[in-house]
Amino acid sequence: TGVGYQALYNTTTSGYDSGDFNTALGSNALSSNTTGIRNTASGYKTLRLNTTGYQNTASGSNSLYKNTTGYQNTASGSFSLYKNTTGLKNTTVGSYSLYSNTVGIRNTASGLYAGYAITTGSANTFLGYNAGYTGTTATISSSTAIGYEAQVATSSSIILGGTGVFN
């Protein structure tokens, strides 16, 4: 089901599970989708470049915008998971959260700008405004930053508030 200018514009339904079971609400939502299935996009240009990605949920303008083949991602908030292309199983709530993620998997972020800098890191958790915002977090894995502007710079670490790093 598509509602809005060019929503589901390129979707094909040539066979069972080929572009089926998608919902797009908003201008250009899921407009590049070809055979991706079971996606839900709500908002201006959500899941805009998705082609074959499946079981993604995006709400908020431009969320999961660059996703092409990534699957089972959930993005809520404008520009959340914006740069994600092939990353999978990421969950984010808050505008610009996990914004820079491209291929990272199993990341969780909640809060405005939470996990903003992650690009390829995986299995991270960022909770709070600006948690994981700095570039030092781009490739870390299995780390957690909790609290206002909490930053973690090494893999397999946890930080509770502030900007220090503890193993």
Side-chain angles (χ1 to χ4, degrees), residues 76-134:
S76 179
S78 296
F79 295 92
S80 57
L81 275 168
Y82 178 83
K83 291 184 178 181
N84 191 79
T85 54
T86 60
L88 52 108
K89 299 181 180 181
N90 295 292
T91 303
T92 185
V93 176
S95 295
Y96 297 93
S97 53
L98 290 177
Y99 176 90
S100 301
N101 187 76
T102 54
V103 298
I105 61 174
R106 295 183 311 273
N107 291 299
T108 302
S110 180
L112 181 64
Y113 297 106
Y116 182 93
I118 283 290
T119 56
T120 60
S122 297
N124 295 295
T125 302
F126 303 98
L127 303 175
Y129 172 81
N130 268 359
Y133 183 81
T134 65

Side-chain angles (χ1 to χ4, degrees), residues 1-117:
T1 305
V3 177
Y5 176 73
Q6 293 191 340
L8 289 170
Y9 184 74
N10 288 312
T11 298
T12 59
T13 55
S14 59
Y16 182 75
D17 275 0
S18 178
D20 290 336
F21 313 112
N22 292 301
T23 302
L25 304 170
S27 178
N28 290 294
L30 273 167
S31 61
S32 297
N33 192 71
T34 54
T35 59
I37 60 170
R38 294 180 176 89
N39 293 294
T40 302
S42 177
Y44 176 71
K45 293 187 179 181
T46 53
L47 280 162
R48 167 74 173 87
L49 300 180
N50 190 78
T51 53
T52 60
Y54 59 90
Q55 295 176 345
N56 293 295
T57 301
S59 65
S61 69
N62 295 287
S63 59
L64 275 167
Y65 179 93
K66 292 188 176 186
N67 191 77
T68 54
T69 61
Y71 59 89
Q72 295 177 341
N73 292 294
T74 302
S76 179
S78 296
F79 295 92
S80 57
L81 275 168
Y82 178 83
K83 291 184 178 181
N84 191 79
T85 54
T86 60
L88 52 108
K89 299 181 180 181
N90 295 292
T91 303
T92 185
V93 176
S95 295
Y96 297 93
S97 53
L98 290 177
Y99 176 90
S100 301
N101 187 76
T102 54
V103 298
I105 61 174
R106 295 183 311 273
N107 291 299
T108 302
S110 180
L112 181 64
Y113 297 106
Y116 182 93

